[in-house]
Amino acid sequence: MTTDRVATTAEPLVSRVVASDGAIDRQQLRALIRLNLKQSFRGVLKPGTGRRSHPIRQIVFSMGFIGLLFSTGAMRCEDLATYLVLLFSAAFAIVALSVLPDTLDGRRRNVEIISSKPIAPATSLAARTINLLVVASLVVGSFALAPLVSAVLVFKCGPALVAGLVLLLLLGSFAVVVISLTTLVVAARWFNLDRLRVVAQFLLVAINLGLMGLSFLAMGSLARDKEAGGLSLTSAPLVKLLPSAWYADWLVSDFGTVANLERAGAVLFLAGALWVALRLDIGRRYPQLIDRLLAADERPAARPFTVRLLELLRGLPLVGRWLAPPQPAAVASLILTLTQREVMSRIKILVPRVILIVFFVVSVTAGDRYFSPLIIAFYGFMGMIDGCEIIKHSSEPAAGWLLAAAPADARQILRGMRLAITLKYFALPAVLVTTALFIADKPMLAALFAISYLVEARCLVSLVYLMSPALPLSRDHATARQFTSVALSLAVTVITTIAYVLVSFAYEMFGYFGLAVGVVGVIGLGFASYGLDRGAAARMGKLECEH
């Protein structure tokens, strides 16, 4: 009698906790959505400062800045349809490469927290779908804000059209994210998932830097020739095969056969993504991928090229020991060796190098006297500032106590850090800027500008470490502050541009007197570099090992 009563009273409780396979429990859905969003946008404490980062703010600022640069190309498009195709294509590419599958640690954490709970598969898939929609909307909305404002100003788009474009951007980006995630997880059956993530991060950095460079090229070409013909993609048949074109043309094309087929393709693409998101649980494939993710790379590590270059520099007669003394050379060798063997460091250096070389070729081919060296200088400053941040971090920051306890002066450690940054992050931009200057200017003026660029870079490194001092390799890896490096690089490039134009004008008007003005400016930069160097060394001398 008692047993029957307990059984009958327990059944309703169980039914309240565990929903049927096809039903969605709203309470569990809300809890899962909150958990997923907090986990996706949780802030971490910044080493040294104790301040908590704000991922949402970083996404809004970084994507908004990229979108602002993209919006400058609206005046180079001949029609609205072309501009929208470019906008949708860039937005879909960025969001597809920004939202990646979970890492092994993240998946294990989700399994420990969620998989042990009585959650129906339908509820879990619905929460995952809404989470992807929110994340994709945040990324695309931040990126597309400035381009849509440009569309209103340049092409006179009405409020109804803008609202429709926003809706299409959000729906299309959600579909792209679902399809790209599914494709990556399926491809992980044959390829290592971590390597796929690295490739995606390479592509994302390349797209962001490429959009910056193209926007600068567009502004430069507009400044040179305001009557130049615009870009048009309406007559390109291959463009119609892109899903981004299907969504971009939805509201601006006619109702012909081709346009209706594009609309049908957009509907099928979104419907397929919804079916995958709500029916196909790709998370079940993760346990099969653990062995691949944990597979050790048994290839022997080669000595980095930059270390060999440092040894070659030290071997130079007369000046070798002055350029690379023993203590700074040892610090630089340690930094160069460890950063070369970490994936994130390779991502942050390889793609900017490729982009830098591409825009060097494009800029020099364009033959613009002022624009060519300055865009290369901008990328050089940005890569160098990123390098200042990269060498602070390591996968084993606890080993940083060696430098804190080593009998080395703070100025020697700072000199070693500067030496490592110069060899790995600044040598290529310095060579390309010098080459562009000698192509664009007279030899004496080009030599003056090249020297001032080197001294200015030295000032910038000391300024970065004066504002944010840290021992090399002493902090955990953190989210890259790309917006900070871009903003600081842009500010320094603007100042450099003003000085470059003024000295060039003075040299053309007054000859050697104008050149003397530039020499005085370089001497002033030298004194500023010395002061910043002493200040940065003083702040670093007060640091202690955080571990």
Side-chain angles (χ1 to χ4, degrees):
M1 186 72 177
T2 306
T3 306
D4 295 338
R5 181 175 299 175
V6 171
T8 55
T9 56
E11 287 178 1
L13 295 176
V14 174
S15 63
R16 292 179 185 178
V17 176
V18 183
S20 59
D21 291 340
I24 297 177
D25 187 286
R26 294 183 180 181
Q27 185 176 1
Q28 290 184 347
L29 179 63
R30 289 193 296 269
L32 284 175
I33 292 173
R34 288 197 300 269
L35 176 64
N36 291 333
L37 292 179
K38 287 182 178 180
Q39 183 175 346
S40 300
F41 299 117
R42 70 182 187 277
V44 296
L45 293 177
K46 297 180 181 180
T49 63
R51 298 178 181 177
R52 185 169 295 276
S53 62
H54 300 278
I56 295 180
R57 187 186 305 173
Q58 292 174 354
I59 292 173
V60 171
F61 275 102
S62 59
M63 290 294 100
F65 182 76
I66 299 298
L68 181 63
L69 293 178
F70 178 87
S71 65
T72 59
M75 292 180 291
R76 298 297 298 166
C77 294
E78 210 171 81
D79 47 64
L80 177 61
T82 297
Y83 181 65
L84 291 181
V85 169
L86 294 176
L87 172 60
F88 275 72
S89 299
F92 288 177
I94 288 174
V95 74
L97 298 173
S98 299
V99 185
L100 300 176
D102 295 331
T103 60
L104 177 60
D105 292 337
R107 181 56 190 171
R108 281 178 171 172
R109 184 169 55 251
N110 291 338
V111 169
E112 293 173 356
I113 296 175
I114 298 176
S115 296
S116 59
K117 305 299 186 296
I119 302 173
T123 304
S124 178
L125 290 175
R128 172 181 172 272
T129 301
I130 296 175
N131 181 60
L132 290 179
L133 178 61
V134 172
V135 174
S137 300
L138 177 62
V139 175
V140 172
S142 303
F143 170 76
L145 178 60
L148 289 176
V149 173
S150 264
V152 173
L153 298 177
V154 177
F155 300 103
K156 310 302 180 184
C157 296
L161 179 57
V162 172
L165 292 175
V166 171
L167 180 61
L168 289 172
L169 273 169
L170 299 183
L171 294 178
S173 62
F174 164 74
V176 167
V177 166
V178 173
I179 298 300
S180 64
L181 283 176
T182 306
T183 303
L184 286 175
V185 174
V186 172
R189 295 179 59 185
W190 301 279
F191 305 98
N192 185 278
L193 186 59
D194 275 350
R195 293 180 182 176
L196 293 176
R197 289 171 55 87
V198 169
V199 172
Q201 291 167 342
F202 268 105
L203 294 176
L204 179 61
V205 174
I207 289 174
N208 290 339
L209 295 180
L211 288 177
M212 293 180 198
L214 290 175
S215 65
F216 293 150
L217 286 177
M219 289 186 288
S221 61
L222 283 174
R224 292 194 305 269
D225 187 6
K226 296 183 179 180
E227 302 297 328
L231 173 66
S232 177
L233 299 177
T234 55
S235 60
L238 294 179
V239 174
K240 302 298 182 180
L241 300 177
L242 298 175
S244 57
W246 304 344
Y247 289 92
D249 292 341
W250 186 294
L251 299 177
V252 297
S253 60
D254 54 19
F255 290 92
T257 304
V258 176
N260 290 332
L261 287 176
E262 288 181 343
R263 294 186 179 96
V267 172
L268 291 176
F269 189 73
L270 179 59
L274 284 173
W275 182 88
V276 170
L278 296 174
R279 296 293 180 183
L280 185 60
D281 188 3
I282 59 176
R284 293 180 179 178
R285 293 182 177 270
Y286 274 94
Q288 305 172 7
L289 305 176
I290 291 178
D291 292 338
R292 291 181 177 272
L293 292 172
L294 295 178
D297 190 356
E298 298 179 353
R299 294 175 299 177
R303 189 170 54 165
F305 171 76
T306 48
V307 174
R308 299 197 297 269
L309 184 62
L310 177 61
E311 293 177 356
L312 181 63
L313 183 65
R314 293 194 64 198
L316 293 177
L318 300 179
V319 297
R321 303 283 290 184
W322 174 74
L323 292 174
Q327 285 188 346
V331 174
S333 298
L334 177 64
I335 295 171
L336 294 172
T337 302
L338 291 182
T339 54
Q340 179 65 25
R341 296 178 181 178
E342 295 189 348
V343 174
M344 292 306 300
S345 299
R346 296 201 301 269
I347 291 176
K348 295 174 183 178
I349 184 59
L350 180 58
V351 176
R353 283 176 179 172
V354 175
I355 297 293
L356 184 65
I357 294 172
V358 170
F359 279 105
F360 169 76
V361 175
V362 174
S363 301
V364 171
T365 304
D368 190 287
R369 173 182 177 184
Y370 296 106
F371 184 74
S372 299
L374 291 173
I375 187 174
I376 304 169
F378 166 75
Y379 277 111
F381 286 141
M382 188 168 61
M384 187 177 63
I385 294 172
D386 283 336
C388 294
E389 187 67 23
I390 289 171
I391 67 171
K392 297 178 184 178
H393 301 87
S394 171
S395 58
E396 296 293 339
W401 70 270
L402 291 173
L403 289 173
D409 184 73
R411 292 192 64 185
Q412 299 299 322
I413 295 178
L414 180 61
R415 191 173 180 181
M417 297 169 71
R418 185 184 294 111
L419 184 59
I421 292 169
T422 302
L423 290 175
K424 187 169 185 178
Y425 302 99
F426 187 68
L428 180 61
V431 172
L432 296 182
V433 168
T434 303
T435 303
L437 286 171
F438 275 92
I439 292 175
D441 294 304
K442 296 179 181 179
M444 293 186 64
L445 192 61
L448 174 65
F449 287 144
I451 294 173
S452 64
Y453 182 62
L454 298 176
V455 179
E456 189 177 11
R458 193 177 190 278
C459 289
L460 189 57
V461 173
S462 299
L463 177 63
V464 170
Y465 286 118
L466 178 63
M467 295 187 301
S468 178
L471 291 172
L473 309 171
S474 62
R475 294 180 177 178
D476 289 307
H477 284 296
T479 303
R481 297 181 295 180
Q482 186 179 5
F483 178 77
T484 303
S485 64
V486 172
L488 184 57
S489 304
L490 193 58
V492 174
T493 304
V494 170
I495 298 173
T496 304
T497 302
I498 296 173
Y500 180 60
V501 173
L502 290 178
V503 173
S504 298
F505 180 76
Y507 181 73
E508 291 177 357
M509 295 294 296
F510 306 107
Y512 288 107
F513 176 75
L515 195 67
V517 173
V519 172
V520 172
V522 173
I523 294 174
L525 281 176
F527 281 110
S529 174
Y530 178 78
L532 291 172
D533 184 54
R534 294 295 294 267
R539 291 203 64 185
M540 289 189 61
K542 300 177 182 179
L543 295 176
E544 296 180 358
C545 183
E546 300 176 2
H547 299 270

